[in-house]
Amino acid sequence: MSESVRVTVNAQPREFEPGPDETAVEVLRDRLGLTGTKLVCGAGVCGACTVLLDDEPVVSCLLPATSLDGRAVRTVEGWSEGCGPGLHPVQRAFMDFDALQCGMCTPGFVTEGIAFYQRWSRERGQQEPTRGEVVEALAGHLCRCGAYPNIIAAIQAACAGRIAATPARVDAEAKVSGRAVYTVDVRREGQLEGRVLRSPHAHARVVRLDLRAAKQVAGVHAAVELVGVDRRVRYVGQEVAAIAAEDRVTAERALEAVEVEYDVLPAVIGAVSARTPGAVEVWSGRRRQPPSSAEGPLFPTPWHGNARGPTASFSARPRKARRLIAAARSAGDPLLVEGVWRTAAQVHTALEPHACVAHWAAGSLTVWVSTQACERIAEKLTKRFGLPRERVTVVAEHVGGAFGAKLELTPETVAAVELSRQAAAPVRVVLDRLEEMTVGGHRPAAEIQLTLLPARSGELSALSVTAYGDAGVAVGSAIAGLCRLIYPTKAKELVDFDVVNHMPPGLPFRGPGGAVACWALEQAVDEAAARLGEDPIVLRRRWDPDPLRGKLYRWAEGLEAWRGRPTGGQSGRFRRGVGVAAGNWFYWYQSKCRVAVGVRDGRLTVATATQDMGTGSRTVLARAVAGAFDLDPMSVRVRVGDSSLERGPMSGGSRTTATVVPAALAAAHKLRERLVREAVTRFGVRAPVAEPAGLRHAGGLLSWAEVITAVPDCQVVASRPDDTDTRRHAPRPYAGAGPAGAGLDWALRLLAGLRTGRGYTGAVHVSEVEVDTLLGRVRVLRVFGGLAVGRLAAPELARSQAAGSIVQGVGYALYEQRRNDPHTGVVLSAGLEDYRIPGIGDTPEIELHFLEEGFEHVPGGGVGLGEISTLPVAASIGNAVFNATGWRPYELPIRPDRLLEGLQS
Ligand code: FES
């Protein structure tokens, strides 16, 4: 029997008997309920589990529980009111500087920041540390949302004593103090742990599956099959069965007792193998049902072996494009730009993994799930389990990042629900990091064959793009079609293919298809400018008719970094380069969504069944309604993340803000009318008129705060109103795309509930890099991000999100590439220790420029920005590398070996 461990945690004495191999983070989270400390990588890489041990920061996931004996631990909760002296200056600085998004990494950063602050204050007083000093101190922490710029600023400000008292985000305090509850933190009475048995084969038929022995393992409460009706598995990691047991260790032991017999079948791994003549077909027959990697609907499309396509194309006079290009090619036209660009699979790897807690009680199902679509998941569960809608509730109070990977009803959620039903107890299923890397979702890899022909006059005369998306077993690639959006030309051939193979399915990832299209197209345009001997921005201004981007080009031209960019060949080890790239994205909103606004116990309330995955939907809602009543947004009670609220939008396609703000404003307007009527009854006022500051009446002015505290509880609901018509100013997306465009618009509306608003969002990014030609390393020094997204609903949060998108773009450009075994289909990138995402030291200096016009037809004046801001980043870095070295990267990521090889060729 193990010996008791006595430890002081947040000034409280604690005693426990550690289990074998138990770690400190497990003790804190599972035994003591201190879930502010997050378990993310389990490998000491991300720093999310950092605590102070005898005042020194340590990662608790690598710390044996036994080593806590006789020590003092302080967790992030230890600085909050009730446990200690109140919020620490570092926590307050995080709130003031909006140094967080989803908040999953925040407890670790805060704790490390506090340790640094204490050291710094002792040694340097209130001297402000440099950026480099802060970066060095926090180098052991990862933030997938890319909140690094504000984290650095917050630590600097805290050390210098520069803290204001105005939190940017309404849920900031919950996140900096560890009180915010994510799905991985949910604990229900009698909760069991579920684990999933996964296929070790890339392609096999399940001949026999016997769960009886597993069910006999002591502590096991339920076991369910997950293999589909065709009894096939089509990738390593596909779900076969699941077990619920009293703890995770028992569940994993029981998985080993499951008897499975596979008939192993030939497999094709990777798109190249899949396109080989005679390759095994991943999907066959008349009714192929591959999963989708797209956000929108799939159209009926022909198949040729493992290639599906061409999908709905946006070509215009393709024969002419082919003819012009062929003529230029045979004439050896030096202006003809041709290339094959490739991109790698980029894993979403949100710090909160896919997680679910399911609980059946009295015929009703409640599911806590880390999702970006709680309403949609509730609908899917309703359908799948044949329940009345009112008997299904999906809760996602806080979501630790998603980026497109948490839009669907996923197998682990289905497993948790099935297990809970069988066990008659709540069941939790949380993916570990290897599962997250394997089946948690990734941006599909792609090959893009692109030809672009400028005329001698300098106009764009033809464009041809053929793209092959590799989303494993999934389909839904849309890359080439997106290339029609920026530079109009009358002759264009744009076709997309999916190439399926026996790898896990890809999923939408921030601007799906857009970042890939930009990578190829924006480098080709850059190349055209080089061949025409023209400034790349001047060329874009001429080719790109969008008036908003036109203004962004002017802004970019005025940047000192652009004006001072190198123009001649460079020598020496370190070379500097500056590159530009543009991006174009849609303005979407979700129809049939509603927002409730009301008064409860003298406070303004707002509620809708959307969710906040770190993008700030809570804050955006609070600000929208607070603004209508001249109140502090912090005084508004916001409810999101609950499917029982009014129908709200999923968070994908940058649609959330553009959906909820207009609906919230409409509801606030209705509430004001209601309050005017209430005031007549309650206060007996005469001739009342609603004004921004309050209620004007014959006897003076009542502030809205006075009215709200006096009226009885009430609530009004409003739907998302249509935009006002501004035909002249805002182009209709898909215009000029003929029947394909009209069809897509119709299908999005009908099948995805997605309305395509008028106007495009736009981006023009300028990146400055330093290339180490000896080691092949690229360092991004500065990124200037120009964005046209209309009026900002919450400016600080918009800046944070845009900067985070740029950081993710840096990762896509330079580091991120999931590694697979090309023979077995096993994902080799097992966790954050060998899948490199950008760290704080990789963060460039980021300057943002928002053009807050162009969407006056949208109530509230603004639209979403999460996707547009990341699209051109990688291409601008690629163009900067070309500017520095004369070598153009065609393949992502721009790895040192590729760069060195390129420089030598
Ligand atoms: Fe850092 Fe989301 S805020 S991971």
Side-chain angles (χ1 to χ4, degrees):
M1 192 166 150
S2 55
E3 302 215 338
S4 273
V5 168
R6 290 188 179 82
V7 56
T8 304
V9 181
N10 297 335
Q12 301 289 319
R14 303 287 195 147
E15 187 173 349
F16 63 93
E17 286 183 7
D21 301 328
E22 194 169 7
T23 59
V25 69
E26 289 167 330
V27 170
L28 294 171
R29 288 179 57 79
D30 301 335
R31 290 177 183 264
L32 307 182
L34 295 168
T35 53
T37 301
K38 303 301 182 198
L39 175 57
V40 173
C41 71
V45 177
C46 73
C49 64
T50 300
V51 296
L52 294 188
L53 183 66
D54 295 337
D55 279 337
E56 286 299 320
V58 295
V59 284
S60 56
C61 70
L62 297 182
L63 193 66
T66 49
S67 66
L68 296 178
D69 197 32
R71 317 283 290 273
V73 174
R74 193 143 192 178
T75 69
V76 71
E77 293 97 336
W79 306 96
S80 310
E81 280 168 298
C83 302
L87 289 181
H88 189 277
V90 168
Q91 287 170 305
R92 286 192 282 121
F94 267 60
M95 292 166 63
D96 291 345
F97 282 78
D98 196 37
L100 52 104
Q101 291 183 34
C102 79
M104 196 68 184
C105 68
T106 307
F109 270 106
V110 162
T111 304
E112 189 82 54
I114 288 172
F116 174 74
Y117 171 96
Q118 290 177 332
R119 225 169 35 241
W120 185 268
S121 307
R122 267 197 314 270
E123 293 166 10
R124 313 276 189 99
Q126 282 206 330
Q127 182 189 334
E128 183 164 323
T130 64
R131 187 179 196 273
E133 284 162 336
V134 175
V135 165
E136 193 178 334
L138 302 181
H141 292 255
L142 293 173
C143 172
R144 187 48 161 162
C145 299
Y148 300 124
N150 287 355
I151 291 172
I152 297 167
I155 301 282
Q156 287 178 304
C159 290
R162 280 190 291 107
I163 307 170
T166 48
R169 204 175 279 259
V170 296
D171 52 3
E173 185 172 348
K175 289 178 174 175
V176 301
S177 62
R179 281 193 291 107
V181 174
Y182 299 77
T183 301
V184 290
D185 302 328
V186 170
R187 296 285 184 282
R188 312 292 299 171
E189 185 71 28
Q191 184 170 298
L192 303 171
E193 286 295 320
R195 292 293 291 146
V196 176
L197 182 72
R198 298 181 180 279
S199 167
H201 306 294
H203 188 200
R205 200 159 51 83
V206 177
V207 178
R208 193 174 71 87
L209 177 57
D210 191 339
L211 302 174
R212 283 174 298 182
K215 282 183 175 170
Q216 298 307 314
V217 174
V220 168
H221 289 245
V224 296
E225 289 191 14
L226 295 175
V227 72
V229 285
D230 67 354
R231 314 303 282 172
R232 288 275 186 109
V233 286
R234 290 186 170 83
Y235 52 89
V236 173
Q238 187 168 340
E239 301 74 15
V240 173
I243 302 281
E246 279 160 13
D247 55 57
R248 194 174 173 98
V249 174
T250 307
E252 285 178 350
R253 196 162 359 104
L255 289 183
E256 292 169 14
V258 175
E259 295 173 21
V260 200
E261 199 179 310
Y262 295 98
D263 175 16
V264 179
L265 302 168
V268 283
I269 308 298
V272 173
S273 304
R275 282 161 68 185
T276 307
V280 173
E281 289 191 12
V282 178
W283 302 99
S284 57
R286 286 166 58 88
R287 292 175 58 81
R288 297 174 172 92
Q289 288 192 312
S292 173
S293 65
E295 270 178 3
L298 297 177
F299 295 98
T301 305
W303 287 77
H304 305 280
N306 288 318
R308 174 181 174 271
T311 51
S313 129
F314 295 96
S315 300
R317 304 178 77 188
R319 270 200 302 238
K320 182 176 178 187
R322 279 198 293 272
R323 186 164 40 77
L324 287 171
I325 288 168
R329 198 179 285 140
S330 65
D333 187 341
L335 294 183
L336 184 72
V337 177
E338 294 195 88
V340 178
W341 278 267
R342 292 189 175 85
T343 65
Q346 181 190 24
V347 186
H348 298 70
T349 194
L351 289 203
E352 184 183 30
H354 285 74
C356 171
V357 177
H359 189 194
W360 291 86
S364 292
L365 174 64
T366 305
V367 177
W368 292 260
V369 61
S370 185
T371 181
Q372 55 196 99
C374 62
E375 173 86 29
R376 176 188 172 109
I377 302 301
E379 279 172 11
K380 294 204 164 191
L381 286 169
T382 299
K383 220 172 180 179
R384 182 166 184 130
F385 292 95
L387 290 165
R389 178 66 183 80
E390 65 276 11
R391 287 192 168 266
V392 176
T393 307
V394 170
V395 181
E397 193 181 343
H398 292 280
V399 180
F403 316 115
K406 296 178 179 173
L407 288 162
E408 291 298 335
L409 177 60
T410 47
E412 73 278 355
T413 299
V414 172
V417 174
E418 295 277 21
L419 290 167
S420 171
R421 182 157 61 176
Q422 196 179 102
V427 174
R428 184 176 85 140
V429 179
V430 178
L431 297 195
D432 64 25
R433 225 6 90 173
L434 174 59
E435 290 174 303
E436 194 65 25
M437 296 300 296
T438 306
V439 298
H442 65 275
R443 188 196 294 278
E447 177 186 301
I448 309 110
Q449 299 168 0
L450 190 148
T451 308
L452 179 151
L453 179 63
R456 298 256 158 241
S457 61
E459 298 309 309
L460 176 59
S461 63
L463 176 66
S464 167
V465 183
T466 302
Y468 297 92
D470 169 7
V473 295
V475 299
S477 174
I479 299 164
L482 294 170
C483 290
R484 67 169 283 275
L485 292 175
I486 298 190
Y487 308 109
T489 172
K490 290 206 168 71
K492 58 194 166 216
E493 183 174 36
L494 309 171
V495 286
D496 276 294
F497 291 90
D498 292 294
V499 182
V500 292
N501 61 95
H502 289 110
M503 288 298 294
L507 288 174
F509 192 151
R510 227 169 188 168
V516 182
C518 269
W519 169 245
L521 180 64
E522 286 300 300
Q523 283 205 69
V525 172
D526 205 64
E527 183 65 33
R531 297 195 191 179
L532 287 162
E534 199 164 2
D535 179 303
I537 295 183
V538 172
L539 179 68
R540 283 177 171 82
R541 269 204 285 115
R542 202 170 64 246
W543 283 5
D544 179 358
D546 183 85
L548 298 178
R549 246 184 333 265
K551 292 186 179 180
L552 293 178
Y553 290 131
R554 294 284 185 199
W555 159 79
E557 282 176 318
L559 292 169
E560 148 277 320
W562 182 256
R563 284 187 280 113
R565 77 189 190 286
T567 49
Q570 298 178 55
S571 58
R573 174 175 169 180
F574 295 99
R575 300 179 199 170
R576 194 177 73 88
V578 180
V580 68
N584 189 93
W585 198 246
F586 304 94
Y587 146 42
W588 276 320
Y589 63 94
Q590 191 166 322
S591 52
K592 298 183 186 148
C593 287
R594 291 146 56 99
V595 171
V597 175
V599 174
R600 191 176 174 88
D601 299 332
R603 270 181 80 181
L604 197 56
T605 64
V606 57
T608 184
T610 191
Q611 48 288 309
D612 194 335
M613 53 188 193
T615 46
S617 48
R618 268 192 185 83
T619 305
V620 161
L621 280 163
R623 289 200 185 189
V625 297
F629 293 96
D630 194 30
L631 290 174
D632 178 356
M634 297 300 290
S635 70
V636 179
R637 186 181 293 147
V638 187
R639 284 191 67 203
V640 296
D642 184 334
S643 67
S644 63
L645 300 170
E646 293 296 329
R647 184 188 181 90
M650 58 191 260
S651 300
S654 290
R655 79 183 76 177
T656 312
T657 297
T659 304
V660 300
V661 167
L665 291 173
H669 185 75
K670 270 170 103 171
L671 183 66
R672 274 169 46 151
E673 288 174 353
R674 171 92 173 253
L675 295 185
V676 169
R677 291 197 298 275
E678 289 285 349
V680 171
T681 315
R682 197 141 290 257
F683 301 113
V685 296
R686 285 179 294 108
V689 178
E691 289 185 357
L695 190 63
R696 175 80 50 198
H697 58 96
L701 180 78
L702 277 168
S703 73
W704 288 117
E706 288 175 290
V707 176
I708 286 167
T709 47
V711 297
D713 291 355
C714 58
Q715 180 175 287
V716 298
V717 176
S719 300
R720 203 284 188 191
D722 284 335
D723 294 350
T724 52
D725 188 21
T726 52
R727 217 166 302 241
R728 282 175 303 131
H729 305 299
R732 178 183 283 286
Y734 318 124
L744 180 58
D745 199 15
W746 173 83
L748 284 172
R749 189 182 293 208
L750 194 72
L751 303 177
L754 201 56
R755 299 289 298 266
T756 311
R758 288 183 181 275
Y760 294 111
T761 58
V764 176
H765 288 358
V766 173
S767 291
E768 180 180 2
V769 303
E770 180 191 76
V771 179
D772 180 343
T773 58
L774 182 66
L775 299 178
R777 290 208 186 114
V778 177
R779 198 155 67 93
V780 184
L781 304 174
R782 292 190 289 180
V783 177
F784 302 86
L787 291 159
V789 291
R791 193 159 159 250
L792 303 179
E796 308 92 322
L797 275 62
R799 289 186 173 279
S800 176
Q801 206 189 344
S805 301
I806 288 171
V807 172
Q808 280 193 353
V810 170
Y812 190 46
L814 300 182
Y815 316 122
E816 296 188 41
Q817 177 178 25
R818 194 184 68 178
R819 303 285 194 162
N820 312 317
D821 184 321
H823 304 294
T824 63
V826 171
V827 170
L828 300 174
S829 305
L832 291 171
E833 64 276 27
D834 52 12
Y835 179 83
R836 168 118 149 75
I837 64 172
I840 196 166
D842 303 312
T843 308
E845 287 183 28
I846 296 172
E847 264 185 43
L848 296 165
H849 170 76
F850 287 98
L851 195 62
E852 294 196 57
E853 60 184 79
F855 291 91
E856 291 75 15
H857 51 297
V858 182
V863 296
L865 58 86
E867 288 166 304
I868 183 65
S869 42
T870 203
L871 299 190
V873 179
S876 70
I877 292 170
N879 289 334
V881 168
F882 177 75
N883 178 243
T885 65
W887 170 73
R888 182 168 296 289
Y890 284 83
E891 199 158 354
L892 281 178
I894 310 170
R895 294 193 320 240
D897 59 314
R898 289 177 176 154
L899 196 146
L900 290 177
E901 196 183 320
L903 291 181
Q904 282 161 11
S905 61

